Structure formats: structure tokens, C-alpha cells
Amino acid sequence: MVLQSSERHYRDWNHRRLGPWCSPTGSPAPLSCETGCGEGSWILVCRLLVPTQVSLLSMEEDIDTRKINNSFLRDHSYATEADIISTVEFNHTGELLATGDKGGRVVIFQREQESKNQIHRRGEYNVYSTFQSHEPEFDYLKSLEIEEKINKIRWLPQQNAAYFLLSTNDKTVKLWKVSERDKRPEGYNLKDEEGRLRDPATITTLRVPVLRPMDLMVEATPRRVFANAHTYHINSISVNSDYETYMSADDLRINLWNFEITNQSFNIVDIKPANMEELTEVITAAEFHPHHCNTFVYSSSKGTIRLCDMRASALCDRHTKFFEEPEDPSNRSFFSEIISSISDVKFSHSGRYIMTRDYLTVKVWDLNMENRPIETYQVHDYLRSKLCSLYENDCIFDKFECVWNGSDSVIMTGSYNNFFRMFDRNTKRDVTLEASRENSKPRAILKPRKVCVGGKRRKDEISVDSLDFSKKILHTAWHPSENIIAVAATNNLYIFQDKVN
């Protein structure tokens, strides 16, 4: 039997998305970081090399990563698959920045404190802590390996001196506590100074333990492990505005968790059909409303967004609002369903708008208008003529993320050739910048880049045929209140700052 193009696409898409879960058959290298600032473009400030000795769950503060030989960064042979950054996330104040990689590691950067002598270094981020969050596992029931790759990281608002964050791989969500310790207890009664147990017969006096100063140490400890609740791969986690619950979404289901309960979750969305042969779409991303704890959205591989209200029913299979843009029949092709799949969905900070990213565009939706987006931005429309080759090398299935700036006036997303795009919603201007180590010199301004589609190519332009599709910006983050952005390019992390800050 020969499948029609659309049916063939869904079979192919679902196999790539769900992988073998629904199939019928059933020493770390260093990470490098570059920071910079600029106005309209970006200026390189310094280059850091992140140590990844993560066998210990802590890292002492006296390690000065800036003293590591920067010439090592020019050697590309050290990078492995495990070093590729898979998620980037600022905390709520922007003082910390967490990255996760395919090796299951989490590296946290802390912002440099401003001083009178080094005012210009306020935007720099140095290594704060690094730890192993997830380990590779094996599902013996399905005879499948579970990767240690960190899919998402989400920070919880800081309530005390410690920091808390959620990290997840394909199956398990973990709650981590990151805290500082600069004192240690001394004067135990039952132990000697070296920590060995003493003979009770030799203890003749009662001593009161005292706290002694020690070198500052940052410790990361797992406080909760939320496991065994997802049959398919987790693609999203989102902390609720009540800060008591969070949700985790896989390809077919969304579960609601309480932070204090690890052995039970509540299924709030289930789109799995009775017969998997009838599967036509999968969940690609989900997020809670920033202010209303009862509202959330999730997107699908068919390019639709559903807004759900948990007050309506316990199971939110019936959406409250349905956002979809009708497709122009004249533009329909074999790749239409694939490129319309939404890879990321984000509420604006105000909660009024939703931003979605598909393969070629970024769209902004008003919650009060469901039939079409109010804004559409072309990210790399010049790739329409290359969809066939992008399909053959699987790049057409890349999942690009998108982010808002603190005031919801500018949006940012990534592209290929280490390009990332910014769109100003007020002036309708856009800029293409490149996160490249080759053309970055200390405090050198990076010029905007342009892609030439055909005809004569100017000196400062790059031909679309010369783009490197192995270099892609999938993960980005924006400081919650300032013009500071973080861009992940393979195993490199670039942090740029607006010059006016």
C-alpha cells in the first residue's frame, strides 16, 4: 500500500517525535562561555572556560576560571556530544544563569558584582556551581536506554538564602537546592577532629560544638525526585504562579504535580487515541499563565495552540480557547505540516499575549483573538527553497526556542549558521547577529549579518548556499529586567549585554 503524502508525513513525524516508545518494534570535556555587551550589536568582554569536574556535588569558590588558558578554546576537537548545551534559563532576578547539556550536567553562572574599580564588568557571569543532574538509565520493560540529556530547567522564586530549580530529562524531573556554606561545626562529642568515632569510655566531658569559618562552598543537593509518571518523552516543565504546583508535558499527556508529593501526579491533558494508528498530532510545548494559576496553554505539531482552564474540569481535554491560523491553499506543499509544527510557546510577562515559534516564523497571538496572530515575523524565509534538503538531513525537525525581553517589546529566536534574530515589536525593525568565536575580539563590536538569496552578493553578505546547518542557535534566554541575553551555540555559551546598561 502506498501512503498519501499527508499520511506518510504523520507516520514519519510521530515516529521522530515519539521515537521507539510508540514504534511497532519497539570523561566530560569543558564547556566554554563568552560574554559581551553592545548597543544594536555586541561587544566581547571576556572568555571563560567552565570546569566540568562534576563527580562532586559542590565546587569551591577559590577556582578562578578566568585564569584557564584561553588558547584551549581554539581547539574544536575536545567537544563531544555530551557537551552540547540543551537548555538555558535565567532565574527570576537575573543574577544566576543555568545551562544544561546532553551529558546530564547543570552549570550555573553568577553575575559579577559591581565595584567602583570595575563598573564595566557588571554584566559578566562567572561559574557559580556545576553538578551532575541526571545519569543514563535503562528501561528493562521496554529494553530502551533513557538519555541523561537535560531537556528543560526552570527556576523557582527565591524565598531564602538558597536557590531551587527544576531539571528534567526524558522521564524524570528533579528539584535541586543550591546553597552556600562558609562555616563548619567543630567540637563533636562522639567524633574526633578527623571525623572518626571515639570510644565512649574515653568521653569524660561534655563539649558544645561551635561553628568555624571555612572557604565558601556551593552545594547542590536533590530535594525531590518526580519519576515514573510519563510514558513518552518530557518536552516541557512549567512552574505555576501559586509556587505550589508545576506541570510536566510529554508528547501525549500533561501532568500536574505538587512540590511536596513525589509519588503522585494528576493527569490534566491526555490526547492519546485508543488506536495509535489514528494519532495525528503530538504535544510540543506547554506553559502556565504567569499570573493566573488556573490557566495554561499547550501547542501541537499541527500548529495549533489550546488555552485550558483547570477550573472548568479536572481533565482539560476540552480547551477554553483554540488558536489556529488558516493555511493559504496556494502555499500548501508536502512540508506544510512539518514547518507549521510549533516548537515553543511562551506567555508574555504581562500575560496578555502568546508567542509561538514554528520552523520559519515567530507569531504573536492576542488572548482575545483566536483566528489569526496579530504579528508574524519571518525568521529565515530564505530557506523555503531548501526544505527538501533540510528534510533529508533532518534539520527540518529542529526545535527552535523563542523568548521575550523584560518589557515584551522585543522578541528573540535562533537560526542556522549560529545566527540569532531580534524583532522590535514597536518599530518593526529586526536584526540578525552571529554568535561566533572566530570573529570575536575583546570589546569588538559585532556587525549585523545579512543573507543573500540570489544575484550579486555584497561584501558583507553571506550566501544562503554557504550557511552551515550544523551550527544552530536552538536555545536562548533573556534577562528578566535588563538587556542581557544568553545564546547557546553547540557547546559554547555567549552572554551579551546592551551597551547602555
Side-chain angles (χ1 to χ4, degrees), residues 295-328:
T295 307
F296 67 94
V297 296
Y298 69 93
S299 57
S300 79
S301 58
K302 296 182 73 172
T304 61
I305 309 105
R306 292 171 173 86
L307 178 73
C308 300
D309 191 338
M310 292 189 292
R311 297 173 299 182
S313 63
L315 188 63
C316 300
D317 286 348
R318 295 184 178 179
H319 50 267
T320 303
K321 291 188 176 183
F322 183 77
F323 301 87
E324 182 181 23
E325 183 179 21
E327 183 184 6
D328 187 355

PDB file of all heavy atoms in Angstrom, residues 295-328:
ATOM      1  N   THR A 295      -4.757  28.745  34.578  1.00  0.00           N
ATOM      2  CA  THR A 295      -4.714  28.803  33.119  1.00  0.00           C
ATOM      3  C   THR A 295      -3.364  28.350  32.600  1.00  0.00           C
ATOM      4  O   THR A 295      -2.323  28.694  33.159  1.00  0.00           O
ATOM      5  CB  THR A 295      -4.994  30.235  32.629  1.00  0.00           C
ATOM      6  OG1 THR A 295      -6.206  30.708  33.213  1.00  0.00           O
ATOM      7  CG2 THR A 295      -5.116  30.277  31.116  1.00  0.00           C
ATOM      8  N   PHE A 296      -3.394  27.583  31.513  1.00  0.00           N
ATOM      9  CA  PHE A 296      -2.162  27.184  30.837  1.00  0.00           C
ATOM     10  C   PHE A 296      -2.450  26.972  29.362  1.00  0.00           C
ATOM     11  O   PHE A 296      -3.613  26.853  28.941  1.00  0.00           O
ATOM     12  CB  PHE A 296      -1.569  25.906  31.462  1.00  0.00           C
ATOM     13  CG  PHE A 296      -2.397  24.668  31.256  1.00  0.00           C
ATOM     14  CD1 PHE A 296      -2.155  23.816  30.183  1.00  0.00           C
ATOM     15  CD2 PHE A 296      -3.408  24.333  32.140  1.00  0.00           C
ATOM     16  CE1 PHE A 296      -2.908  22.670  29.990  1.00  0.00           C
ATOM     17  CE2 PHE A 296      -4.174  23.191  31.959  1.00  0.00           C
ATOM     18  CZ  PHE A 296      -3.915  22.353  30.878  1.00  0.00           C
ATOM     19  N   VAL A 297      -1.399  26.930  28.561  1.00  0.00           N
ATOM     20  CA  VAL A 297      -1.512  26.676  27.131  1.00  0.00           C
ATOM     21  C   VAL A 297      -0.597  25.527  26.750  1.00  0.00           C
ATOM     22  O   VAL A 297       0.407  25.273  27.425  1.00  0.00           O
ATOM     23  CB  VAL A 297      -1.154  27.919  26.271  1.00  0.00           C
ATOM     24  CG1 VAL A 297      -2.118  29.049  26.501  1.00  0.00           C
ATOM     25  CG2 VAL A 297       0.284  28.349  26.530  1.00  0.00           C
ATOM     26  N   TYR A 298      -0.965  24.849  25.683  1.00  0.00           N
ATOM     27  CA  TYR A 298      -0.053  23.872  25.091  1.00  0.00           C
ATOM     28  C   TYR A 298      -0.216  23.897  23.581  1.00  0.00           C
ATOM     29  O   TYR A 298      -1.293  24.188  23.057  1.00  0.00           O
ATOM     30  CB  TYR A 298      -0.271  22.465  25.666  1.00  0.00           C
ATOM     31  CG  TYR A 298      -1.566  21.782  25.296  1.00  0.00           C
ATOM     32  CD1 TYR A 298      -1.655  20.940  24.188  1.00  0.00           C
ATOM     33  CD2 TYR A 298      -2.719  21.937  26.088  1.00  0.00           C
ATOM     34  CE1 TYR A 298      -2.830  20.295  23.865  1.00  0.00           C
ATOM     35  CE2 TYR A 298      -3.892  21.296  25.780  1.00  0.00           C
ATOM     36  CZ  TYR A 298      -3.943  20.471  24.666  1.00  0.00           C
ATOM     37  OH  TYR A 298      -5.123  19.821  24.347  1.00  0.00           O
ATOM     38  N   SER A 299       0.881  23.640  22.900  1.00  0.00           N
ATOM     39  CA  SER A 299       0.912  23.682  21.438  1.00  0.00           C
ATOM     40  C   SER A 299       1.042  22.275  20.894  1.00  0.00           C
ATOM     41  O   SER A 299       1.387  21.325  21.608  1.00  0.00           O
ATOM     42  CB  SER A 299       2.090  24.537  20.960  1.00  0.00           C
ATOM     43  OG  SER A 299       3.311  24.027  21.476  1.00  0.00           O
ATOM     44  N   SER A 300       0.783  22.136  19.583  1.00  0.00           N
ATOM     45  CA  SER A 300       0.793  20.816  18.968  1.00  0.00           C
ATOM     46  C   SER A 300       1.608  20.837  17.680  1.00  0.00           C
ATOM     47  O   SER A 300       1.983  21.897  17.165  1.00  0.00           O
ATOM     48  CB  SER A 300      -0.634  20.349  18.668  1.00  0.00           C
ATOM     49  OG  SER A 300      -1.128  20.954  17.475  1.00  0.00           O
ATOM     50  N   SER A 301       1.859  19.657  17.158  1.00  0.00           N
ATOM     51  CA  SER A 301       2.614  19.512  15.918  1.00  0.00           C
ATOM     52  C   SER A 301       1.800  19.921  14.696  1.00  0.00           C
ATOM     53  O   SER A 301       2.345  19.993  13.596  1.00  0.00           O
ATOM     54  CB  SER A 301       3.073  18.059  15.763  1.00  0.00           C
ATOM     55  OG  SER A 301       1.963  17.181  15.780  1.00  0.00           O
ATOM     56  N   LYS A 302       0.522  20.210  14.858  1.00  0.00           N
ATOM     57  CA  LYS A 302      -0.308  20.687  13.748  1.00  0.00           C
ATOM     58  C   LYS A 302      -0.388  22.201  13.706  1.00  0.00           C
ATOM     59  O   LYS A 302      -1.170  22.766  12.935  1.00  0.00           O
ATOM     60  CB  LYS A 302      -1.716  20.087  13.846  1.00  0.00           C
ATOM     61  CG  LYS A 302      -1.748  18.578  13.691  1.00  0.00           C
ATOM     62  CD  LYS A 302      -3.150  18.022  13.736  1.00  0.00           C
ATOM     63  CE  LYS A 302      -3.919  18.324  12.465  1.00  0.00           C
ATOM     64  NZ  LYS A 302      -5.237  17.627  12.429  1.00  0.00           N
ATOM     65  N   GLY A 303       0.402  22.883  14.525  1.00  0.00           N
ATOM     66  CA  GLY A 303       0.436  24.335  14.502  1.00  0.00           C
ATOM     67  C   GLY A 303      -0.689  25.001  15.254  1.00  0.00           C
ATOM     68  O   GLY A 303      -0.970  26.182  15.018  1.00  0.00           O
ATOM     69  N   THR A 304      -1.314  24.306  16.184  1.00  0.00           N
ATOM     70  CA  THR A 304      -2.433  24.856  16.953  1.00  0.00           C
ATOM     71  C   THR A 304      -2.009  25.092  18.400  1.00  0.00           C
ATOM     72  O   THR A 304      -1.091  24.446  18.907  1.00  0.00           O
ATOM     73  CB  THR A 304      -3.644  23.916  16.924  1.00  0.00           C
ATOM     74  OG1 THR A 304      -3.276  22.656  17.513  1.00  0.00           O
ATOM     75  CG2 THR A 304      -4.095  23.679  15.491  1.00  0.00           C
ATOM     76  N   ILE A 305      -2.717  26.030  19.048  1.00  0.00           N
ATOM     77  CA  ILE A 305      -2.487  26.332  20.463  1.00  0.00           C
ATOM     78  C   ILE A 305      -3.819  26.228  21.184  1.00  0.00           C
ATOM     79  O   ILE A 305      -4.837  26.762  20.722  1.00  0.00           O
ATOM     80  CB  ILE A 305      -1.904  27.745  20.666  1.00  0.00           C
ATOM     81  CG1 ILE A 305      -0.685  27.965  19.771  1.00  0.00           C
ATOM     82  CG2 ILE A 305      -1.516  27.952  22.123  1.00  0.00           C
ATOM     83  CD1 ILE A 305      -0.978  28.845  18.578  1.00  0.00           C
ATOM     84  N   ARG A 306      -3.818  25.539  22.311  1.00  0.00           N
ATOM     85  CA  ARG A 306      -5.020  25.379  23.118  1.00  0.00           C
ATOM     86  C   ARG A 306      -4.814  26.029  24.479  1.00  0.00           C
ATOM     87  O   ARG A 306      -3.830  25.745  25.165  1.00  0.00           O
ATOM     88  CB  ARG A 306      -5.381  23.907  23.272  1.00  0.00           C
ATOM     89  CG  ARG A 306      -5.830  23.240  21.981  1.00  0.00           C
ATOM     90  CD  ARG A 306      -5.971  21.733  22.152  1.00  0.00           C
ATOM     91  NE  ARG A 306      -6.545  21.099  20.972  1.00  0.00           N
ATOM     92  CZ  ARG A 306      -5.839  20.703  19.915  1.00  0.00           C
ATOM     93  NH1 ARG A 306      -4.529  20.906  19.891  1.00  0.00           N
ATOM     94  NH2 ARG A 306      -6.437  20.122  18.886  1.00  0.00           N
ATOM     95  N   LEU A 307      -5.756  26.888  24.852  1.00  0.00           N
ATOM     96  CA  LEU A 307      -5.764  27.515  26.161  1.00  0.00           C
ATOM     97  C   LEU A 307      -6.748  26.759  27.042  1.00  0.00           C
ATOM     98  O   LEU A 307      -7.913  26.590  26.668  1.00  0.00           O
ATOM     99  CB  LEU A 307      -6.155  28.989  26.051  1.00  0.00           C
ATOM    100  CG  LEU A 307      -6.253  29.767  27.363  1.00  0.00           C
ATOM    101  CD1 LEU A 307      -4.868  30.034  27.938  1.00  0.00           C
ATOM    102  CD2 LEU A 307      -6.998  31.096  27.164  1.00  0.00           C
ATOM    103  N   CYS A 308      -6.308  26.308  28.197  1.00  0.00           N
ATOM    104  CA  CYS A 308      -7.143  25.496  29.079  1.00  0.00           C
ATOM    105  C   CYS A 308      -7.307  26.173  30.434  1.00  0.00           C
ATOM    106  O   CYS A 308      -6.405  26.873  30.904  1.00  0.00           O
ATOM    107  CB  CYS A 308      -6.528  24.110  29.266  1.00  0.00           C
ATOM    108  SG  CYS A 308      -6.332  23.165  27.744  1.00  0.00           S
ATOM    109  N   ASP A 309      -8.469  25.927  31.046  1.00  0.00           N
ATOM    110  CA  ASP A 309      -8.784  26.463  32.367  1.00  0.00           C
ATOM    111  C   ASP A 309      -9.065  25.293  33.299  1.00  0.00           C
ATOM    112  O   ASP A 309     -10.016  24.539  33.084  1.00  0.00           O
ATOM    113  CB  ASP A 309      -9.997  27.391  32.283  1.00  0.00           C
ATOM    114  CG  ASP A 309     -10.220  28.184  33.572  1.00  0.00           C
ATOM    115  OD1 ASP A 309      -9.739  27.738  34.633  1.00  0.00           O
ATOM    116  OD2 ASP A 309     -10.877  29.237  33.523  1.00  0.00           O
ATOM    117  N   MET A 310      -8.242  25.122  34.317  1.00  0.00           N
ATOM    118  CA  MET A 310      -8.400  23.990  35.225  1.00  0.00           C
ATOM    119  C   MET A 310      -9.617  24.125  36.128  1.00  0.00           C
ATOM    120  O   MET A 310      -9.991  23.157  36.807  1.00  0.00           O
ATOM    121  CB  MET A 310      -7.136  23.821  36.067  1.00  0.00           C
ATOM    122  CG  MET A 310      -5.928  23.370  35.273  1.00  0.00           C
ATOM    123  SD  MET A 310      -4.515  22.927  36.308  1.00  0.00           S
ATOM    124  CE  MET A 310      -4.065  24.543  36.962  1.00  0.00           C
ATOM    125  N   ARG A 311     -10.266  25.283  36.138  1.00  0.00           N
ATOM    126  CA  ARG A 311     -11.495  25.436  36.913  1.00  0.00           C
ATOM    127  C   ARG A 311     -12.677  24.796  36.204  1.00  0.00           C
ATOM    128  O   ARG A 311     -13.688  24.488  36.845  1.00  0.00           O
ATOM    129  CB  ARG A 311     -11.791  26.913  37.152  1.00  0.00           C
ATOM    130  CG  ARG A 311     -10.731  27.631  37.981  1.00  0.00           C
ATOM    131  CD  ARG A 311     -10.991  29.115  38.045  1.00  0.00           C
ATOM    132  NE  ARG A 311     -10.969  29.726  36.708  1.00  0.00           N
ATOM    133  CZ  ARG A 311     -11.125  31.024  36.474  1.00  0.00           C
ATOM    134  NH1 ARG A 311     -11.313  31.854  37.499  1.00  0.00           N
ATOM    135  NH2 ARG A 311     -11.088  31.499  35.246  1.00  0.00           N
ATOM    136  N   ALA A 312     -12.570  24.591  34.887  1.00  0.00           N
ATOM    137  CA  ALA A 312     -13.698  24.045  34.126  1.00  0.00           C
ATOM    138  C   ALA A 312     -13.909  22.568  34.418  1.00  0.00           C
ATOM    139  O   ALA A 312     -15.038  22.105  34.588  1.00  0.00           O
ATOM    140  CB  ALA A 312     -13.483  24.273  32.632  1.00  0.00           C
ATOM    141  N   SER A 313     -12.821  21.800  34.472  1.00  0.00           N
ATOM    142  CA  SER A 313     -12.922  20.367  34.753  1.00  0.00           C
ATOM    143  C   SER A 313     -11.561  19.858  35.183  1.00  0.00           C
ATOM    144  O   SER A 313     -10.535  20.492  34.928  1.00  0.00           O
ATOM    145  CB  SER A 313     -13.418  19.601  33.522  1.00  0.00           C
ATOM    146  OG  SER A 313     -12.505  19.718  32.452  1.00  0.00           O
ATOM    147  N   ALA A 314     -11.561  18.685  35.798  1.00  0.00           N
ATOM    148  CA  ALA A 314     -10.298  18.111  36.252  1.00  0.00           C
ATOM    149  C   ALA A 314      -9.437  17.676  35.081  1.00  0.00           C
ATOM    150  O   ALA A 314      -8.212  17.810  35.117  1.00  0.00           O
ATOM    151  CB  ALA A 314     -10.563  16.930  37.185  1.00  0.00           C
ATOM    152  N   LEU A 315     -10.065  17.158  34.027  1.00  0.00           N
ATOM    153  CA  LEU A 315      -9.355  16.774  32.815  1.00  0.00           C
ATOM    154  C   LEU A 315      -9.610  17.832  31.755  1.00  0.00           C
ATOM    155  O   LEU A 315     -10.747  18.036  31.325  1.00  0.00           O
ATOM    156  CB  LEU A 315      -9.824  15.401  32.331  1.00  0.00           C
ATOM    157  CG  LEU A 315      -9.027  14.784  31.179  1.00  0.00           C
ATOM    158  CD1 LEU A 315      -7.583  14.542  31.611  1.00  0.00           C
ATOM    159  CD2 LEU A 315      -9.655  13.477  30.729  1.00  0.00           C
ATOM    160  N   CYS A 316      -8.551  18.507  31.322  1.00  0.00           N
ATOM    161  CA  CYS A 316      -8.682  19.659  30.425  1.00  0.00           C
ATOM    162  C   CYS A 316      -8.562  19.261  28.961  1.00  0.00           C
ATOM    163  O   CYS A 316      -7.921  19.966  28.172  1.00  0.00           O
ATOM    164  CB  CYS A 316      -7.642  20.713  30.772  1.00  0.00           C
ATOM    165  SG  CYS A 316      -7.762  21.350  32.452  1.00  0.00           S
ATOM    166  N   ASP A 317      -9.144  18.133  28.584  1.00  0.00           N
ATOM    167  CA  ASP A 317      -9.128  17.745  27.173  1.00  0.00           C
ATOM    168  C   ASP A 317      -9.979  18.694  26.329  1.00  0.00           C
ATOM    169  O   ASP A 317      -9.740  18.847  25.129  1.00  0.00           O
ATOM    170  CB  ASP A 317      -9.642  16.321  27.010  1.00  0.00           C
ATOM    171  CG  ASP A 317      -8.618  15.296  27.490  1.00  0.00           C
ATOM    172  OD1 ASP A 317      -7.466  15.702  27.716  1.00  0.00           O
ATOM    173  OD2 ASP A 317      -8.970  14.131  27.643  1.00  0.00           O
ATOM    174  N   ARG A 318     -10.957  19.321  26.939  1.00  0.00           N
ATOM    175  CA  ARG A 318     -11.770  20.313  26.240  1.00  0.00           C
ATOM    176  C   ARG A 318     -11.189  21.690  26.534  1.00  0.00           C
ATOM    177  O   ARG A 318     -11.240  22.181  27.656  1.00  0.00           O
ATOM    178  CB  ARG A 318     -13.225  20.239  26.701  1.00  0.00           C
ATOM    179  CG  ARG A 318     -13.919  18.928  26.331  1.00  0.00           C
ATOM    180  CD  ARG A 318     -15.383  18.960  26.731  1.00  0.00           C
ATOM    181  NE  ARG A 318     -16.076  17.734  26.355  1.00  0.00           N
ATOM    182  CZ  ARG A 318     -17.354  17.480  26.600  1.00  0.00           C
ATOM    183  NH1 ARG A 318     -18.085  18.408  27.242  1.00  0.00           N
ATOM    184  NH2 ARG A 318     -17.899  16.338  26.230  1.00  0.00           N
ATOM    185  N   HIS A 319     -10.648  22.291  25.498  1.00  0.00           N
ATOM    186  CA  HIS A 319      -9.980  23.568  25.664  1.00  0.00           C
ATOM    187  C   HIS A 319     -10.982  24.699  25.837  1.00  0.00           C
ATOM    188  O   HIS A 319     -12.141  24.607  25.430  1.00  0.00           O
ATOM    189  CB  HIS A 319      -9.084  23.846  24.455  1.00  0.00           C
ATOM    190  CG  HIS A 319      -9.783  23.666  23.141  1.00  0.00           C
ATOM    191  ND1 HIS A 319      -9.756  22.479  22.438  1.00  0.00           N
ATOM    192  CD2 HIS A 319     -10.555  24.509  22.421  1.00  0.00           C
ATOM    193  CE1 HIS A 319     -10.461  22.607  21.336  1.00  0.00           C
ATOM    194  NE2 HIS A 319     -10.954  23.840  21.298  1.00  0.00           N
ATOM    195  N   THR A 320     -10.493  25.794  26.403  1.00  0.00           N
ATOM    196  CA  THR A 320     -11.300  27.010  26.539  1.00  0.00           C
ATOM    197  C   THR A 320     -11.195  27.881  25.293  1.00  0.00           C
ATOM    198  O   THR A 320     -12.183  28.443  24.828  1.00  0.00           O
ATOM    199  CB  THR A 320     -10.846  27.811  27.770  1.00  0.00           C
ATOM    200  OG1 THR A 320     -10.944  26.987  28.933  1.00  0.00           O
ATOM    201  CG2 THR A 320     -11.715  29.047  27.956  1.00  0.00           C
ATOM    202  N   LYS A 321      -9.975  27.982  24.744  1.00  0.00           N
ATOM    203  CA  LYS A 321      -9.757  28.741  23.510  1.00  0.00           C
ATOM    204  C   LYS A 321      -8.842  27.939  22.599  1.00  0.00           C
ATOM    205  O   LYS A 321      -7.983  27.185  23.056  1.00  0.00           O
ATOM    206  CB  LYS A 321      -9.157  30.119  23.805  1.00  0.00           C
ATOM    207  CG  LYS A 321     -10.112  31.069  24.512  1.00  0.00           C
ATOM    208  CD  LYS A 321      -9.531  32.484  24.590  1.00  0.00           C
ATOM    209  CE  LYS A 321     -10.538  33.447  25.206  1.00  0.00           C
ATOM    210  NZ  LYS A 321     -10.038  34.849  25.229  1.00  0.00           N
ATOM    211  N   PHE A 322      -9.039  28.146  21.303  1.00  0.00           N
ATOM    212  CA  PHE A 322      -8.305  27.391  20.299  1.00  0.00           C
ATOM    213  C   PHE A 322      -7.736  28.371  19.285  1.00  0.00           C
ATOM    214  O   PHE A 322      -8.480  29.061  18.585  1.00  0.00           O
ATOM    215  CB  PHE A 322      -9.237  26.390  19.615  1.00  0.00           C
ATOM    216  CG  PHE A 322      -8.559  25.501  18.616  1.00  0.00           C
ATOM    217  CD1 PHE A 322      -7.791  24.431  19.021  1.00  0.00           C
ATOM    218  CD2 PHE A 322      -8.688  25.742  17.250  1.00  0.00           C
ATOM    219  CE1 PHE A 322      -7.169  23.597  18.101  1.00  0.00           C
ATOM    220  CE2 PHE A 322      -8.075  24.923  16.330  1.00  0.00           C
ATOM    221  CZ  PHE A 322      -7.306  23.851  16.757  1.00  0.00           C
ATOM    222  N   PHE A 323      -6.412  28.460  19.220  1.00  0.00           N
ATOM    223  CA  PHE A 323      -5.744  29.417  18.342  1.00  0.00           C
ATOM    224  C   PHE A 323      -5.171  28.673  17.138  1.00  0.00           C
ATOM    225  O   PHE A 323      -4.361  27.756  17.285  1.00  0.00           O
ATOM    226  CB  PHE A 323      -4.610  30.131  19.092  1.00  0.00           C
ATOM    227  CG  PHE A 323      -5.068  30.884  20.306  1.00  0.00           C
ATOM    228  CD1 PHE A 323      -5.171  30.257  21.535  1.00  0.00           C
ATOM    229  CD2 PHE A 323      -5.382  32.231  20.226  1.00  0.00           C
ATOM    230  CE1 PHE A 323      -5.584  30.943  22.665  1.00  0.00           C
ATOM    231  CE2 PHE A 323      -5.792  32.942  21.342  1.00  0.00           C
ATOM    232  CZ  PHE A 323      -5.899  32.289  22.562  1.00  0.00           C
ATOM    233  N   GLU A 324      -5.590  29.114  15.948  1.00  0.00           N
ATOM    234  CA  GLU A 324      -5.102  28.491  14.720  1.00  0.00           C
ATOM    235  C   GLU A 324      -5.247  29.466  13.568  1.00  0.00           C
ATOM    236  O   GLU A 324      -6.277  30.143  13.442  1.00  0.00           O
ATOM    237  CB  GLU A 324      -5.850  27.200  14.410  1.00  0.00           C
ATOM    238  CG  GLU A 324      -5.342  26.474  13.167  1.00  0.00           C
ATOM    239  CD  GLU A 324      -6.131  25.203  12.883  1.00  0.00           C
ATOM    240  OE1 GLU A 324      -7.290  25.108  13.332  1.00  0.00           O
ATOM    241  OE2 GLU A 324      -5.581  24.308  12.213  1.00  0.00           O
ATOM    242  N   GLU A 325      -4.217  29.529  12.747  1.00  0.00           N
ATOM    243  CA  GLU A 325      -4.251  30.385  11.563  1.00  0.00           C
ATOM    244  C   GLU A 325      -4.554  29.529  10.338  1.00  0.00           C
ATOM    245  O   GLU A 325      -3.821  28.575  10.061  1.00  0.00           O
ATOM    246  CB  GLU A 325      -2.924  31.112  11.375  1.00  0.00           C
ATOM    247  CG  GLU A 325      -2.938  32.079  10.192  1.00  0.00           C
ATOM    248  CD  GLU A 325      -1.614  32.804  10.057  1.00  0.00           C
ATOM    249  OE1 GLU A 325      -0.607  32.308  10.580  1.00  0.00           O
ATOM    250  OE2 GLU A 325      -1.606  33.884   9.431  1.00  0.00           O
ATOM    251  N   PRO A 326      -5.624  29.834   9.605  1.00  0.00           N
ATOM    252  CA  PRO A 326      -5.939  29.040   8.404  1.00  0.00           C
ATOM    253  C   PRO A 326      -4.801  29.099   7.398  1.00  0.00           C
ATOM    254  O   PRO A 326      -4.190  30.150   7.170  1.00  0.00           O
ATOM    255  CB  PRO A 326      -7.206  29.709   7.862  1.00  0.00           C
ATOM    256  CG  PRO A 326      -7.783  30.461   9.018  1.00  0.00           C
ATOM    257  CD  PRO A 326      -6.617  30.890   9.847  1.00  0.00           C
ATOM    258  N   GLU A 327      -4.506  27.974   6.793  1.00  0.00           N
ATOM    259  CA  GLU A 327      -3.412  27.915   5.829  1.00  0.00           C
ATOM    260  C   GLU A 327      -3.878  28.354   4.449  1.00  0.00           C
ATOM    261  O   GLU A 327      -4.998  28.034   4.024  1.00  0.00           O
ATOM    262  CB  GLU A 327      -2.862  26.486   5.753  1.00  0.00           C
ATOM    263  CG  GLU A 327      -1.676  26.342   4.826  1.00  0.00           C
ATOM    264  CD  GLU A 327      -1.218  24.898   4.705  1.00  0.00           C
ATOM    265  OE1 GLU A 327      -1.904  24.024   5.251  1.00  0.00           O
ATOM    266  OE2 GLU A 327      -0.179  24.655   4.056  1.00  0.00           O
ATOM    267  N   ASP A 328      -3.011  29.091   3.778  1.00  0.00           N
ATOM    268  CA  ASP A 328      -3.294  29.513   2.412  1.00  0.00           C
ATOM    269  C   ASP A 328      -3.157  28.300   1.489  1.00  0.00           C
ATOM    270  O   ASP A 328      -2.067  27.720   1.385  1.00  0.00           O
ATOM    271  CB  ASP A 328      -2.320  30.610   1.994  1.00  0.00           C
ATOM    272  CG  ASP A 328      -2.665  31.200   0.641  1.00  0.00           C
ATOM    273  OD1 ASP A 328      -3.602  30.692  -0.016  1.00  0.00           O
ATOM    274  OD2 ASP A 328      -1.995  32.164   0.231  1.00  0.00           O
TER     275      ASP A 328
END
